[in-house]
Amino acid sequence: MTSSSTISRSTSSRDGKAKEPCLRVIPLGGLHEIGKNTCVFEYGDEIMMVDAGLAFPSDGMHGVNVVMPDTSYLRENQKRIRGMIVTHGHEDHIGGIPHHLKHFNIPVIYGPRLAMSMLQGKMEEAGVTDRTTIQTVSPRDVVKVGQHFSVEFIRNTHSMADSFSLAITTPVGSVIFTGDFKFDHTPVDGENFDMARLAHHGEQGVLCLFSDSTNAEVPGFCPPERSVFPALDRHIAQAEGRVIITTFASSIHRVSMILELALKNGRKVGLLGRSMLNVIAKARELGYMRAPDDLFVPIKQIRDMPDRETLLLMTGSQGEPLAALSRISRGEHQHVQVKNSDTIIFSASPIPGNTISVVNTIDRLMMLGAKVVYGKGEGIHVSGHGFQEDHKLMLALTKPKFFVPVHGEHRMLICHSKTAQSMGVASDNILILDNGDVVQLSADSISKGDSVKAGIELLDASRNGIVDARVLKERQQLAEDGVVTVLAAISTDGVMVAPPRVNLRGVVTAADPRKMSLWTEREISWVLENRWKQFSRQTDGKAPEVDWMGLQREVEVGLGRRMRRELQVEPLLLCLVQPAPGGTPAYKGMADAEPEDRSVTRIRGDRDLASNGRRTPAAAPVKVAAAVSATSTTKTVADQANDQTQSEPESAEVPSGRTRRRRSAAA
């Protein structure tokens, strides 16, 4: 077990704050999770960012399109930002940059040609191209960021082409930041991992290694990307009808092999999915992917070709609801419908959190009659992240004094730390971090400093609107328990002048509408009798000033408590009060005809007083959205009161043993 507490040396104080200038490294995303990798390097008054990615929402994040790290710390210190380094072009490393540029400038961004080309398109779409300058780099290039950071780009191998590890020279020593990597000795593009440069820095002395931990639990070496070629070739060759393949659009090497196999097996390729079209266009433009133009056929024309000569390459490997394959599985795609003769290949594995969506998509495709090829046993997918032996090789080459595992869930970080210990790194020289933790590095010490604010920002489909915690809670309530709307007509002298109207949407309950109306009427009457003075203030010779919003909240709290107690549901409550002029005739309805016996009497402060005299805390108030209509309804409200006072009261069902207490609806 590694130590996650402050680690002291001669230059560290007991509270973890260094006595001399130190390098501060602050991960804002990517720890205890998969995705939104974002890291900050800080020395003196200068900040350098490394990557800025996004993640995708979980099932409970209704209406959320993407998840971003909370960058409050960067916004507060934006004048200190000197630049950004990008390791490669995956969405979990560059997807957040356009969003961040809307809130703060980044003077310059350095990164690989492919990643920068993809980023340029994203920035143009977001309208932020004027907020930064993009500079492309090549293997072994060295760039200077500010006065204190010198960064060398070291070619590595990953599932995406043009990927780099970083050697960062700082005033306190050299730091290796691996980015996403595995050691692939037979890369598809012929670009080998530059292990010689890693070894060089290891011989010179590496102060600290920050290393990718995604597959830290898996023993052995990660298989090379080329190892999936035979299995894909076999499935494509044996297919009697169309071949449909889904994979990550950004997996350039995988897509290149699929295009090569389509050409080999005499199949024309149709592309589906915006990201697939964009990435292939960029990769071909920059020379990372080679395929003849006549290999590709527009999707509208490929429908007229023989199935045996067709291959469809599309997005949707993660079961994303709006991705091409997901829409095809639901029969919602305009141009493609599943046939019994189709062979559908999932050349990807589910990202943690997406498994249910993926298997549901597979089930739907099978029910439509297609042959679906998926799973580890088929040999059609390998990871782009190294296994335990890859991690050991990285540690052996760099020989770090200190070690910090990054990019992974907590159990992965723990496993990676144990691997580092097996390679000779002392347990006291290892830190296990969470997002927002601060690593303080000096020439002979590593410690934790005071954490900074970290968390998540949820963006809707526009990628402009922030979905805050209140909105997300309300959406969750809508999804789980539905919504109840209440329309109440109340005069300015505190009288209910018409029966409340109650509407339920998505609420599962055995209570009939008349009972719900009765409960609502009682709650409103109780609030008017016992709380009206808190919300109404008399003015000299004028109509009273009424806090209608406060009145609505009080009704909502009471009704929410009632529904939790009686129905065991907690819907979203939306209360609307229609003010009526003072002197409007009072409505005398069901609450007067059927007074409720209660064993619980409310007291001030939203607490309940039980029959034995003990106070018991009330349940948490329901989150509400309230509005007030300022329209005067003198005639309408009076007419409603006259129409409905003739309705017969229902016999209310109340628990036995409650104390009888009459309440009048009139003020």
Side-chain angles (χ1 to χ4, degrees), residues 146-459:
Q147 297 298 315
H148 298 119
F149 300 105
S150 180
V151 183
E152 178 183 353
F153 288 81
I154 300 173
R155 169 69 73 213
N156 71 16
T157 47
H158 183 43
S159 57
M160 184 168 194
D162 211 5
S163 179
F164 288 98
S165 296
L166 308 174
I168 305 171
T169 302
T170 75
V172 301
S174 178
V175 173
I176 299 295
F177 192 91
T178 68
D180 293 354
F181 80 96
K182 70 176 183 180
F183 287 98
D184 189 337
H185 302 291
T186 58
V188 174
D189 58 3
E191 292 281 341
N192 292 295
F193 204 130
D194 194 354
M195 292 188 286
R197 291 305 295 169
L198 287 178
H200 168 77
H201 286 284
E203 291 299 324
Q204 295 296 314
V206 172
L207 178 65
C208 187
L209 172 66
F210 291 80
S211 186
D212 173 22
S213 306
T214 304
N215 279 328
E217 301 169 289
V218 186
F221 279 103
C222 181
E225 181 69 23
R226 197 75 185 179
S227 64
V228 305
F229 191 90
L232 287 174
D233 189 12
R234 183 177 67 255
H235 287 296
I236 293 173
Q238 293 175 354
E240 297 178 356
R242 292 184 305 183
V243 173
I244 299 175
I245 301 180
T246 181
T247 189
F248 293 106
S250 57
S251 295
I252 303 296
H253 301 321
R254 186 75 49 82
V255 172
S256 296
M257 286 191 291
I258 292 170
L259 297 180
E260 180 183 344
L261 288 170
L263 192 62
K264 175 185 175 183
N265 288 277
R267 292 178 180 266
K268 297 295 184 181
V269 177
L271 302 176
L272 284 169
R274 181 183 178 190
S275 59
M276 186 67 73
L277 289 162
N278 290 342
V279 171
I280 290 178
K282 293 289 186 184
R284 294 183 70 205
E285 176 186 338
L286 297 173
Y288 292 99
M289 189 181 296
R290 293 176 175 83
D293 290 340
D294 61 0
L295 178 64
F296 302 95
V297 177
I299 197 64
K300 293 181 180 179
Q301 298 178 20
I302 207 167
R303 295 182 300 174
D304 301 326
M305 298 185 62
D307 289 351
R308 187 64 182 80
E309 300 175 9
T310 300
L311 186 149
L312 301 179
L313 180 57
M314 63 186 65
T315 57
S317 64
Q318 298 305 302
E320 306 97 316
L322 299 180
L325 188 59
S326 297
R327 288 187 285 130
I328 290 171
S329 73
R330 297 192 299 268
E332 298 173 358
H333 199 279
Q334 180 181 0
H335 302 296
V336 180
Q337 290 76 40
V338 174
K339 300 178 182 180
N340 290 336
S341 58
D342 288 343
T343 298
I344 302 176
I345 301 173
F346 278 74
S347 186
S349 60
I351 294 172
N354 292 346
T355 303
I356 294 176
S357 299
V358 173
V359 297
N360 287 341
T361 302
I362 292 172
D363 283 347
R364 289 194 297 267
L365 293 169
M366 286 184 168
M367 286 188 283
L368 292 172
K371 174 186 177 183
V372 183
V373 182
Y374 66 97
K376 295 180 180 179
E378 296 291 343
I380 53 176
H381 176 70
V382 293
S383 177
H385 300 267
F387 295 176
Q388 288 177 358
E389 295 302 317
D390 297 84
H391 296 163
K392 290 179 182 178
L393 181 54
M394 177 62 74
L395 287 157
L397 289 169
T398 56
K399 304 174 185 176
K401 183 175 184 178
F402 303 114
F403 177 68
V404 179
V406 293
H407 297 182
E409 295 171 347
H410 183 72
R411 66 185 186 280
M412 301 171 185
L413 307 182
I414 295 295
C415 286
H416 202 174
S417 70
K418 292 178 179 178
T419 299
Q421 291 179 57
S422 73
M423 294 299 292
V425 181
S427 61
D428 287 345
N429 289 357
I430 300 173
L431 285 182
I432 303 296
L433 304 178
D434 200 353
N435 294 328
D437 286 346
V438 177
V439 179
Q440 297 184 147
L441 281 165
S442 66
D444 57 358
S445 73
I446 184 171
S447 63
K448 271 190 184 181
D450 296 332
S451 298
V452 304
K453 183 180 179 182
I456 59 175
E457 289 183 353
L458 307 177
L459 273 63

